[in-house]
Amino acid sequence: MNDETRDDPRDETHDEGTPLRGLWRQGLEVFVDNRLALVGVGIFLLLAAFSFLGPLFHDSDQVHTDLASVYLSPGTAGHPLGTDGVGYDQLGRLMLGGQTSIVVGLAAGLLATVVGTVWGAIAGFAGGWVDAVMMRVVDAMMSIPALFLFMLMAAIVTPTVPMLIVIIGAFAWLGPARLVRGEALTLRTREYVLAMRGMGGTGGRAVRRHIIPNAIGTVIVNATFQIADAILYVAYLSFLGLGVPPPAANWGGMLSDGLSDTFSGHWWLLYPPGIAIILIVLAFNFIGDGLRDVFEVRLRRR
């Protein structure tokens, strides 16, 4: 078997006699060796448990305002993190905002990754005028600042949770598309792809069975960064007043509301959502770094 054929990870696995389970175990060992990646996983699990399981233990009314309980300081009975300007419990608000931020971030990041992967794989494999046209679309959209596009779309349509997912996912796929396209340009000339085409295999089969599976490392690592970026985009839009309308909440909207109140001494309305945004973005970046080590061939062969 020549060197070109051995570049296929699956061929390499069979030739070296390493079972698939051994590769998974080796990848897990590499991931565990990255302490920051473990810290990232721990932070994400804690924030997810806080947001989705927390309301089971700390019940609060996040629909009706209570003007008799505005701006209560942290530590007040029933309000560990105090209340905001309309009487909402800040701890319960933080949990509710976490649900929106995490759901939109995960869904939009995964949507962008899927769309970008398919687009880039088709463009890179097809080549020629198809690649030129598809990538000029990507280049044209990337020339416009993403935040401007998000603000424009959010101003045109009502920013509900599903709509935020669509808006962010509709423009965040450009980066993954360029990455996967680069991988596809390399993979389409491999012998196993040429052999499959020579036996009558279709282009769609080549993309599904060879291009995308062999670019999966790049795709998975990029997905973690896409999720982190999507969470930041949600925060940006909400900070500018284009997030989900009340009584729904997210950390970016809470940060925006707390910014004006903090000058009045109500610091507890600003720092908790800000810290939560920083922590979850760092968590996904740490996880992405760990996954990059897992899919790095040099480290998996050590």
Side-chain angles (χ1 to χ4, degrees):
M1 185 178 294
N2 59 36
D3 292 338
E4 188 174 11
T5 305
R6 289 177 61 86
D7 286 339
D8 181 12
R10 289 166 301 175
D11 291 340
E12 181 178 307
T13 297
H14 292 304
D15 287 347
E16 295 179 359
T18 305
L20 185 60
R21 182 178 300 177
L23 287 178
W24 280 103
R25 185 182 299 111
Q26 190 175 22
L28 181 60
E29 291 174 355
V30 172
F31 187 84
V32 171
D33 284 344
N34 190 321
R35 301 302 184 210
L36 287 179
L38 295 181
V39 170
V41 172
I43 292 174
F44 171 69
L45 292 178
L46 287 175
L47 289 176
F50 169 78
S51 300
F52 292 96
L53 300 180
L56 299 177
F57 303 95
H58 181 77
D59 187 23
S60 61
D61 187 355
Q62 297 295 322
V63 177
H64 303 94
T65 60
D66 183 7
L67 298 182
S69 302
V70 299
Y71 295 129
L72 295 179
S73 301
T76 304
H79 305 288
L81 291 182
T83 61
D84 62 10
V86 293
Y88 287 137
D89 176 71
Q90 183 73 351
L91 180 59
R93 200 83 179 149
L94 201 62
M95 295 174 181
L96 181 64
Q99 294 177 16
T100 302
S101 297
I102 292 174
V103 168
V104 174
L106 285 173
L110 294 177
L111 175 62
T113 300
V114 170
V115 174
T117 298
V118 174
W119 188 280
I122 293 174
F125 179 78
W129 67 269
V130 175
D131 177 42
V133 171
M134 294 179 72
M135 296 314 295
R136 292 301 77 75
V137 171
V138 173
D139 292 340
M141 294 182 67
M142 291 189 76
S143 66
I144 305 174
L147 188 57
F148 172 77
L149 292 175
F150 294 147
M151 291 173 59
L152 177 64
M153 293 301 298
I156 294 174
V157 300
T158 302
T160 60
V161 169
M163 190 56 62
L164 278 178
I165 293 173
V166 173
I167 290 173
I168 296 175
F171 296 103
W173 60 272
L174 304 173
R178 298 191 71 171
L179 285 175
V180 176
R181 183 248 184 182
E183 293 281 337
L185 287 175
T186 301
L187 292 170
R188 70 175 184 171
T189 59
R190 299 294 173 87
E191 266 194 12
Y192 54 87
V193 177
L194 297 177
M196 186 274 295
R197 295 301 303 274
M199 291 186 291
T202 63
R205 178 180 175 84
V207 171
R208 292 193 311 270
R209 298 295 299 274
H210 297 288
I211 303 299
I212 292 179
N214 282 284
I216 196 66
T218 300
V219 171
I220 291 178
V221 172
N222 183 259
T224 60
F225 298 122
Q226 286 296 317
I227 293 171
D229 289 343
I231 292 174
L232 283 178
Y233 286 135
V234 175
Y236 294 156
L237 292 174
S238 301
F239 187 83
L240 296 173
L242 299 173
V244 289
N250 66 79
W251 290 335
M254 295 177 65
L255 193 66
S256 178
D257 295 338
L259 183 62
S260 58
D261 290 325
T262 192
F263 295 110
S264 303
H266 307 130
W267 57 267
W268 61 89
L269 301 180
L270 177 68
Y271 291 108
I275 292 173
I277 292 172
I278 293 173
L279 286 176
I280 196 165
V281 171
L282 284 176
F284 278 107
N285 278 278
F286 290 159
I287 293 172
D289 287 338
L291 290 175
R292 182 168 53 196
D293 290 347
V294 170
F295 289 103
E296 176 62 46
V297 176
R298 177 177 58 83
L299 291 179
R300 293 184 65 177
R301 286 177 175 176
R302 63 181 184 173

